[in-house]
Amino acid sequence: MHLKSLTKRQLQPHKALIFDRTLLLSDELLLRVFQKLPESQRKPSSLVCKRWLSLQGRLVRSLKLLEWDFLESGRLVSRFPNLTRVDLVHACIVWPRSCGVLLNHRVVSVPVDSEVSQNGFLENGKVLASNVVDRGLRFLASGYPNLRKLAVVGASELGLLSLAEECSTLQELELHKCSDATLRAISGFGNLQILKLIGNAEGLYKSLVSDVGLTILAQGCARLVKLELSGCEGSYDGIKAIGQCCQMLEELTLSDHRLDGGWLSALYYCENLKTLRFQSCRRIDVYPGLDEYLGSCPTLERLHLHKCQLRDKLSMRALYMVCGAVRDFVVQDCWGLDNDILGLATTCRRVKLLSLEGCSLLTTEGLESAVLSWKDLQKLRVVSCKNIKDSEVSPAVSTLFSILKELQWRPDTRSLLSSSLVESGMGKRGSKFFKKTWRPEVPA
């Protein structure tokens, strides 16, 4: 047959073989090539053709879903068949068509409109109904039996049970708008190691996690290693149950907790606890009780305080007694940390690392008294503490600085900023960064 007599449709396969040489490569070989690409080049390469788009979807392991319909329609499973970590939080929120204001909360970002309930921004139909969320979880469980991590809002007990039946390898779970009834399904996740519970998110929604839920959690998660309780209520009994049942627990985080007075002494039962974190807590313990009932955590190594109220000397003294064996002491952007509060921490004799940031009430004298009492101190970090002055540092502290393994000293950011401006030339007369742009007004 003469070449000119061939139709365009007959020539098309030959052109594909000539110009698209990747058709000669198998999917497995192309996947190995795509795995070698840096993350910045994977997304652009998926736009080359439909085949490359499909292959790139197989490499995606973690995804944050934005639209709930993408899950229920089945497109999520077909587009990304090998996901192991899925975040459904954003998709569980009903977003208005036109949203000009976005509220960034510590827990989640939500749209803001004129209809605000007294119970929070995510009430009155702003979150998907529990039956809709449960149906989506069943779709997710059937498509991803090897799921390892999940974050979801408003799931019920039935939805979590269906997920536990199919996803036996699930290790990390984040439950927003959680309640005591929801936690009855937690025992179905036999391999769960990391759990984050958000009960009451102030300004967003209200949900109750009490001692009942904490006890159910403790009895159902014996292999738990990390636990975060955000906006949860409870008391001594709930924390005690967690310590007695979750004997592998190594890290406990309390965010904006609402625990009753006396709960601190229950940390004694957390025999393997290594890290204790407080985030955005208005109080540590309103009434810690007598010293002889407090006990201590002998295995505790790290104490972190972030954006907390530390003005109560009684509760801070009790906290330091419980954390007497701590080695890393980190305070960031907390209110009320003055010389007296930090001085109480000298009961922790084994401190090797001290990190202070945003402690505006602390003075050079208070810092000096604390650091000189810790004989094992090896690392020191002081940032944005405006009442700590370089000129007030004593010779004893200067000698200590010289023998530390690590030292980060930036207590006065204003002086640091001015010195950096001088070095860069900014602020000098005639600098291109500060040109004279105003003109004096001429009187009429």
Side-chain angles (χ1 to χ4, degrees):
M1 184 183 295
H2 197 269
L3 182 61
K4 292 184 178 180
S5 64
L6 292 175
T7 62
K8 185 176 180 180
R9 182 174 298 177
Q10 290 173 322
L11 282 172
Q12 192 67 28
H14 300 283
K15 288 184 179 181
L17 290 174
I18 293 174
F19 295 107
D20 190 3
R21 298 182 183 274
T22 61
L23 292 176
L24 302 175
L25 302 177
S26 64
D27 290 349
E28 290 74 16
L29 187 57
L30 273 178
L31 284 173
R32 293 180 63 182
V33 174
F34 290 151
Q35 287 177 347
K36 302 295 183 180
L37 292 176
E39 291 292 337
S40 59
Q41 297 182 11
R42 285 188 179 182
K43 290 183 179 180
S45 64
S46 65
L47 303 178
V48 173
C49 61
K50 290 184 177 180
R51 185 193 180 200
W52 285 29
L53 178 65
S54 176
L55 292 177
Q56 287 287 1
R58 299 186 195 179
L59 297 177
V60 178
R61 297 292 185 268
S62 178
L63 183 73
K64 181 178 181 180
L65 187 65
L66 301 181
E67 296 184 5
W68 190 260
D69 293 339
F70 196 72
L71 169 61
E72 291 193 329
S73 64
R75 289 177 292 170
L76 178 65
V77 178
S78 61
R79 175 70 177 85
F80 305 102
N82 299 321
L83 290 177
T84 58
R85 298 179 296 275
V86 180
D87 186 350
L88 301 178
V89 173
H90 190 282
C92 292
I93 301 173
V94 179
W95 291 75
R97 293 183 178 179
S98 58
C99 176
V101 180
L102 189 66
L103 173 63
N104 291 318
H105 192 270
R106 173 178 48 86
V107 176
V108 67
S109 297
V110 299
V112 179
D113 54 20
S114 58
E115 298 180 2
V116 181
S117 171
Q118 293 181 354
N119 296 327
F121 286 102
L122 293 184
E123 297 291 349
N124 296 340
K126 299 296 180 63
V127 180
L128 294 178
S130 59
N131 61 332
V132 177
V133 176
D134 294 344
R135 185 172 65 244
L137 291 181
R138 288 193 291 270
F139 278 113
L140 194 71
S142 60
Y144 302 109
N146 296 321
L147 196 65
R148 299 294 182 89
K149 179 181 178 179
L150 175 67
V152 65
V153 181
S156 70
E157 178 185 359
L158 295 178
L160 292 179
L161 283 175
S162 63
L163 184 70
E165 291 176 359
E166 299 292 337
C167 305
S168 58
T169 60
L170 192 72
Q171 297 180 350
E172 187 171 352
L173 187 59
E174 182 176 327
L175 298 178
H176 293 248
K177 206 175 181 181
C178 183
S179 64
D180 292 339
T182 307
L183 293 174
R184 289 183 294 188
I186 207 71
S187 60
F189 300 96
N191 294 312
L192 193 64
Q193 298 181 5
I194 302 175
L195 178 61
K196 181 178 180 179
L197 302 180
I198 297 94
N200 191 342
E202 186 174 4
L204 298 183
Y205 52 78
K206 291 183 179 181
S207 187
L208 177 63
V209 176
S210 64
D211 279 336
V212 176
L214 296 182
T215 304
I216 296 173
L217 158 67
Q219 295 175 351
C221 298
R223 304 183 63 180
L224 208 60
V225 178
K226 294 182 181 180
L227 174 63
E228 180 173 348
L229 303 176
S230 179
C232 297
E233 299 182 11
S235 63
Y236 171 89
D237 295 330
I239 302 299
K240 178 183 177 181
I242 292 174
Q244 289 179 330
C245 299
C246 305
Q247 297 183 0
M248 299 175 62
L249 187 66
E250 296 183 357
E251 183 174 323
L252 176 61
T253 301
L254 299 174
S255 299
D256 190 23
H257 77 80
R258 292 160 169 78
L259 299 174
D260 295 337
W263 73 270
L264 261 178
S265 56
L267 291 176
Y268 166 79
Y269 296 95
C270 301
E271 297 180 352
N272 293 312
L273 190 65
K274 295 182 179 179
T275 303
L276 179 61
R277 287 190 175 93
F278 293 88
Q279 297 177 355
S280 304
C281 294
R282 299 178 182 178
R283 58 188 183 183
I284 301 299
D285 193 334
V286 291
Y287 182 71
L290 301 177
D291 295 349
E292 52 265 30
Y293 298 116
L294 284 175
S296 63
C297 298
T299 61
L300 193 64
E301 298 178 356
R302 292 171 288 273
L303 175 61
H304 290 213
L305 302 170
H306 179 60
K307 293 185 178 179
C308 297
Q309 296 279 2
L310 308 181
R311 294 184 173 92
D312 189 357
K313 294 183 179 181
L314 184 63
S315 63
M316 291 304 299
R317 178 176 175 273
L319 177 64
Y320 294 145
M321 291 184 64
V322 173
C323 305
V326 73
R327 298 180 182 180
D328 295 355
F329 183 34
V330 179
V331 182
Q332 182 179 1
D333 298 330
C334 291
W335 295 272
L337 185 74
D338 54 14
N339 296 347
D340 295 334
I341 298 296
L342 183 62
L344 295 174
T346 55
T347 56
C348 306
R349 300 293 183 181
R350 302 179 183 178
V351 174
K352 293 185 177 181
L353 180 148
L354 175 64
S355 177
L356 302 173
E357 181 175 352
C359 303
S360 58
L361 298 180
L362 188 65
T363 66
T364 311
E365 180 183 359
L367 176 66
E368 177 180 350
S369 176
V371 298
L372 292 180
S373 66
W374 288 319
K375 304 302 180 182
D376 297 332
L377 190 65
Q378 299 177 357
K379 302 176 182 179
L380 178 63
R381 179 177 179 268
V382 180
V383 177
S384 301
C385 302
K386 62 180 182 180
N387 283 326
I388 298 178
K389 308 297 182 181
D390 295 345
S391 58
E392 299 175 358
V393 175
S394 66
V397 176
S398 301
T399 304
L400 176 64
F401 288 173
S402 63
I403 61 176
L404 291 176
K405 292 183 178 180
E406 292 184 16
L407 175 62
Q408 185 176 357
W409 184 260
R410 292 188 300 164
D412 191 352
T413 56
R414 290 176 298 179
S415 61
L416 176 66
L417 177 61
S418 60
S419 62
S420 61
L421 289 177
V422 171
E423 294 175 358
S424 63
M426 295 178 63
K428 294 181 178 180
R429 189 171 184 177
S431 171
K432 62 180 181 180
F433 296 100
F434 293 93
K435 292 183 178 180
K436 186 175 180 180
T437 57
W438 60 274
R439 293 182 179 180
E441 296 181 0
V442 179

